[in-house]
Amino acid sequence: MALVNTHFLNLENNYLFADIAKKVNAFRVVHPKADVISLGIGDVTRPLCTAVIEAMRRATEEMATEQGFHGYGPEQGYDFLREAILKNDFRSRGVRLDIDEIFINDGAKSDTGNFQELLHWDNFIGVTDPIYPVYIDSNVMIGRCGNYRNDRWTNVRYMPITAENGFVPELPKGRPVDVIYLCYPNNPTGTVLTKPELRKWVNYALKNDALILFDAAYQAYIRDPQIPHSIYEIRGARKCAVEFRSYSKTAGFTGMRCGYTVVPKEVTVATFEGERIPLNQLWLRRQCTKFNGASYVSQRAAEAIYTEEGKQQVQETIDYYMQNALRMRSVLERLGYECYGGENAPYIWMRTPDGMSSWQFFEALLYGANVVCTPGVGFGPSGEGYVRFTAFGSHEKTEEALERIDKWTQSH
Ligand SMILES: *Cc1c(COP(=O)(O)O)cnc(C)c1O
C-alpha cells in the first residue's frame, strides 16, 4: 500500500492568491464590464532588457552549432556566472567569497523551500510574522511545525513585525530558535533592517549556534546606501548564514528562472555527538542528486545583467517600479492612509482604516474602486489589519488605480 506523507495533509488548503482570484472572479460575474486593476500579486510586468535578450540570442545560436552546444552543465552553475556574481554582487561591497560557495539555481523559491532538507526534523524554526509563506509551508511538509491552531503553527516561533515595533523583529526570548528565516528588504512589508539591527541577529545566531536563512531577493531595490544588501556585510555572518538571491525581481526573470544561493564553507551544523558538518558540502551533495542545473541560456542571460549595458538597463526598470512605489506612498498618505515600505522595496504596506480587517478592506476596495490589493493577514496573523500594494504595474495602470482609490476614499 502506498501511504501518503501525512504532513502534506496538514497544510492549509487555502492558498492566498487562489482565494484572491476566487473573490475577483465572483466580482467579475456581477460586474462583467468593470476593468479591474491588480496591485496584488508580486510579479513583474516590464519586458527583459536588451542586454539580456541579446545574450539569450547568442546563447541560442551557440546551442544550434556542434561546437557551441551545451548539454548538462555543472550542477552548481557555470563559472562565468559565478565569477560575475563574486565580482559584482560581493567584492564590490567588500565581501570576499569563494567561487564554490555560490550555487546557481532556477530561482530562490526552490532553494528557500528545499534548504531545510539538510536540517534535522525537530529543529525549532523562527520566522518574522508576516512572512513569505514558502518558508513555513516547506517546513510543514516534513513535519517540523507541529499543528495548525488559531492561525498559527504550534511549533514555530512567530516574531511579529508591525508598526508598533517599527517592523524590527525582536530577538526570541525563552526557548532558543535553531533556524531563523529573515527576508530583507521584506516581502510583504517593504521594510528593511539597518546594519546594527541585522548585526543583532547575526550575534544571536553565533551565540545560540543557530542558522540564519537570509532571503535577499529584493536587494536590488535598496536605495539607502546605509542598508546592507547582503548579510555577509555583517562580521561573523559567514559562520552562521546562508543567503538566497534571485534575478526574478532584480531583472524581470520570473519567467526565465535563475538565481543563486550562497553557502559559505564556514557554516556548519551539529550532529548529536557534537561533530560539526559543513552545510556547503551537504548542499553540493543534495544539488548533485536532485538538481541538474539552470539552463545554459538563462545563465548566459543572467551574466548579461552584470555588463555595463545590462547594469544600466536593469537599473532603469528598477527605477521605473520605484517611481510607482513613490507615487503610491505619497498619494495614499495624502489620502490619510498609514503607509510603510516602498522606499527600499517595491511594496507598500498599508494599515487598513477604521480597524477594518484585511479581507474587509480588500473587498471594499475591489467593489468600491475596482482595485485589487493583497490582504496582509494572508502572510501571517500579524499581517491582520494591513494590505499590500505592489509597485510592479505600469505607470499608467498605477496612476489610474490611485485616481480611483482617491475618488473612492473621498466619496465615503
Ligand atoms: C519573489 C520572491 C522570491 C523569488 O522567487 P524566484 O523563485 O526566484 O522567482 C524569493 N523570495 C521572496 C520573498 C520573494 O518575494
Side-chain angles (χ1 to χ4, degrees):
M1 189 172 27
L3 294 171
V4 69
N5 173 351
T6 49
H7 301 309
F8 275 69
L9 308 182
N10 289 337
L11 287 167
E12 303 159 85
N13 30 15
N14 53 350
Y15 180 62
L16 175 61
F17 292 103
D19 283 352
I20 292 175
K22 241 186 270 165
K23 289 192 193 273
V24 173
N25 284 337
F27 170 81
R28 285 209 165 106
V29 170
V30 190
H31 303 278
K33 294 223 179 75
D35 158 40
V36 177
I37 301 180
S38 176
L39 300 179
I41 291 191
D43 196 359
V44 295
T45 57
R46 308 300 300 162
L48 293 168
C49 67
T50 50
V52 164
I53 296 293
E54 288 304 321
M56 274 163 67
R57 198 169 279 145
R58 281 193 302 272
T60 309
E61 295 295 336
E62 272 185 78
M63 292 291 261
T65 66
E66 245 174 79
Q67 299 83 1
F69 172 76
H70 285 73
Y72 290 126
E75 289 88 346
Q76 316 90 288
Y78 285 102
D79 282 356
F80 61 77
L81 179 55
R82 299 160 93 202
E83 296 277 10
I85 289 167
L86 290 182
K87 174 161 175 268
N88 294 282
D89 286 345
F90 295 103
R91 231 174 284 149
S92 66
R93 305 195 65 81
V95 176
R96 298 218 153 252
L97 291 166
D98 256 9
I99 195 157
D100 45 5
E101 295 177 313
I102 307 288
F103 296 79
I104 308 299
N105 60 29
D106 60 359
K109 188 189 227 179
S110 343
D111 281 10
T112 51
N114 290 330
F115 205 83
Q116 49 75 31
E117 265 181 46
L118 304 189
L119 305 167
H120 197 266
W121 71 270
D122 68 352
N123 277 294
F124 185 39
I125 71 161
V127 296
T128 62
D129 168 26
I131 190 200
Y132 180 57
V134 172
Y135 313 146
I136 295 189
D137 288 358
S138 56
N139 278 284
V140 170
M141 287 173 180
I142 76 148
R144 198 175 276 130
C145 297
N147 300 304
Y148 193 65
R149 286 203 202 104
N150 306 326
D151 307 325
R152 279 159 221 266
W153 294 94
T154 50
N155 228 8
V156 171
R157 172 64 57 82
Y158 289 80
M159 306 177 292
I161 44 174
T162 61
E164 283 64 40
N165 62 15
F167 299 92
V168 179
E170 277 168 40
L171 296 178
K173 298 192 183 76
R175 178 180 175 190
V177 170
D178 305 307
V179 181
I180 301 152
Y181 286 89
L182 295 178
C183 172
Y184 285 97
N186 187 254
N187 177 11
T189 65
T191 57
V192 290
L193 287 188
T194 62
K195 262 189 197 174
E197 286 157 357
L198 190 54
R199 187 173 296 122
K200 280 189 209 158
W201 284 95
V202 170
N203 289 341
Y204 175 90
L206 292 171
K207 182 155 165 260
N208 292 281
D209 200 2
L211 174 69
I212 296 177
L213 299 178
F214 189 77
D215 186 343
Y218 295 94
Q219 58 78 30
Y221 290 82
I222 295 173
R223 315 218 118 183
D224 179 345
Q226 302 296 323
I227 301 298
H229 287 237
S230 165
I231 195 165
Y232 305 116
E233 292 175 45
I234 311 292
R235 192 194 301 265
R238 61 168 74 235
K239 288 200 177 71
C240 63
V242 167
E243 182 165 296
F244 303 96
R245 293 277 188 109
S246 165
Y247 298 111
S248 285
K249 316 300 165 29
T250 306
F253 271 42
T254 51
M256 287 281 295
R257 312 311 303 145
C258 196
Y260 65 91
T261 295
V262 185
V263 191
K265 286 178 222 160
E266 292 169 56
V267 183
T268 60
V269 288
T271 65
F272 279 119
E273 291 73 33
E275 195 189 341
R276 303 300 307 193
I277 309 293
L279 284 178
N280 181 286
Q281 283 168 29
L282 285 195
W283 187 242
L284 178 62
R285 188 69 184 82
R286 188 267 177 210
Q287 288 299 76
C288 290
T289 300
K290 294 196 177 181
F291 185 59
N292 251 337
S295 80
Y296 176 69
V297 175
S298 56
Q299 291 189 64
R300 281 294 184 197
E303 181 193 26
I305 296 167
Y306 296 109
T307 60
E308 277 318 306
E309 317 84 79
K311 279 184 199 169
Q312 192 194 331
Q313 292 164 3
V314 161
Q315 192 56 48
E316 279 165 21
T317 304
I318 290 171
D319 291 345
Y320 180 97
Y321 293 135
M322 289 307 277
Q323 264 184 49
N324 282 340
L326 199 69
R327 275 293 292 161
M328 285 158 69
R329 234 192 115 150
S330 80
V331 172
L332 293 169
E333 284 185 333
R334 177 168 56 72
L335 294 173
Y337 294 109
E338 193 183 318
C339 295
Y340 302 93
E343 288 162 332
N344 295 291
Y347 296 119
I348 306 284
W349 188 243
M350 193 188 94
R351 200 191 298 259
T352 58
D354 310 318
M356 287 169 100
S357 76
S358 298
W359 279 110
Q360 277 169 343
F361 184 83
F362 167 89
E363 297 232 359
L365 189 70
L366 174 60
Y367 282 79
N370 304 348
V371 172
V372 176
C373 61
T374 311
V377 71
F379 298 100
S382 296
E384 181 57 284
Y386 293 89
V387 291
R388 188 191 74 176
F389 290 100
T390 84
F392 288 134
S394 67
H395 286 333
E396 296 73 23
K397 288 280 175 200
T398 305
E399 279 308 323
E400 194 183 333
L402 290 172
E403 272 169 39
R404 291 190 201 170
I405 295 173
D406 187 342
K407 266 206 202 109
W408 170 69
T409 305
Q410 312 275 2
S411 72
H412 71 273

